[in-house]
Amino acid sequence: MTNALMQLDANETSAIMSLQEFLDYDDGTDARYELENGRLLLMPSESEINRRIAIFLIAYFLQLGIPFYRLTEKTEVATSGMRPTVRIPDLMVLTEELAQAMQGATRSIVMLDMPPPQLVVEVVSPGGKSEQRDYRYKRSQYQAREIAEYYWIVDPIQQKVTVFSLVAGLYEESVFTGDAAIVSPFLSELGQESELTAAQVLQI
């Protein structure tokens, strides 16, 4: 068992961490953690397909004119709830206001007192717990964070892209598969010249 995993096991039996304790936490390794309801959650290594999907979307958004400084991978985002939670989406698109608020920060994290991101993308990793987090827990947490559209779940396992849009405080979802063009207010606002299909995003 690695030092990071041993440290995580020890932490799971300890008291719940505050947000500040999480921000101060350092186990002396390169391991990355999320904070889930006050408890450390060790993040698995990234799969190659997940990496390629994230890079593809970054390149696509750049072509649509989104400035590079508003595109970020692995930036943390604090969400509201009974206990502190910090997620690490695969990709985020920042609003101009949020990009300015984060300029010069010593840690790449969207705090609760900052504006929400414009878009959050989660790429599902294999495993029931990962899927449950992306489809259930993170959905409610990002909804509470009032991320306006824009929460995408890219699922290479089930071969689908789910787009969530915030309507009257609740997410409404649309699912796209195969050669279906992804319909999204976010994409419409960017004035895309050609359709983006689920197959393109999923690297089929």
Side-chain angles (χ1 to χ4, degrees):
M1 184 179 290
T2 66
N3 290 337
L5 284 172
M6 290 186 350
Q7 181 68 43
L8 180 62
D9 288 344
N11 179 266
E12 286 176 342
T13 62
S14 64
I16 291 171
M17 298 177 76
S18 68
L19 177 58
Q20 189 57 54
E21 287 171 333
F22 172 74
L23 296 176
D24 293 339
Y25 180 76
D26 183 1
D27 65 3
T29 74
D30 293 331
R32 294 181 65 91
Y33 297 94
E34 289 186 337
L35 186 66
E36 186 175 81
N37 294 321
R39 296 193 181 277
L40 285 179
L41 177 66
L42 179 65
M43 302 302 292
S45 299
E46 197 69 83
S47 70
E48 179 61 15
I49 185 62
N50 287 26
R51 186 195 67 80
R52 291 188 181 195
I53 287 171
I55 294 297
F56 169 82
L57 286 173
I58 287 174
Y60 183 79
F61 293 152
L62 284 170
Q63 290 178 346
L64 292 181
I66 295 178
F68 74 92
Y69 60 84
R70 288 177 50 201
L71 297 169
T72 180
E73 287 186 283
K74 305 304 180 183
T75 291
E76 300 165 299
V77 55
T79 68
S80 55
M82 294 292 293
R83 294 175 178 171
T85 293
V86 176
R87 295 300 187 185
I88 310 176
D90 291 283
L91 171 64
M92 276 199 297
V93 180
L94 312 180
T95 63
E96 192 69 40
E97 184 182 8
L98 177 56
Q100 292 179 9
M102 294 183 66
Q103 187 172 6
T106 57
R107 180 167 178 155
S108 186
I109 180 171
V110 181
M111 299 295 287
L112 289 172
D113 60 352
M114 294 179 177
Q118 187 172 9
L119 171 70
V120 166
V121 178
E122 294 280 5
V123 183
V124 179
S125 299
K129 288 185 177 180
S130 176
E131 293 180 44
Q132 188 177 52
R133 286 191 185 98
D134 288 339
Y135 281 101
R136 183 177 178 183
Y137 302 135
K138 292 182 183 179
R139 172 178 178 166
S140 62
Q141 290 158 0
Y142 292 149
Q143 178 178 280
R145 193 65 174 83
E146 296 184 344
I147 298 174
E149 176 181 0
Y150 300 127
Y151 173 32
W152 290 14
I153 300 177
V154 180
D155 193 333
I157 303 153
Q158 298 188 45
Q159 292 287 286
K160 64 180 183 179
V161 177
T162 306
V163 174
F164 296 93
S165 301
L166 198 65
V167 178
L170 297 174
Y171 275 145
E172 294 184 354
E173 68 177 75
S174 301
V175 179
F176 305 94
T177 60
D179 292 327
I182 296 173
V183 178
S184 157
F186 172 72
L187 295 177
S188 298
E189 290 169 6
L190 295 174
Q192 58 182 149
E193 294 182 3
S194 59
E195 294 178 335
L196 176 67
T197 69
Q200 288 175 304
V201 175
L202 292 163
Q203 308 288 296
I204 299 174

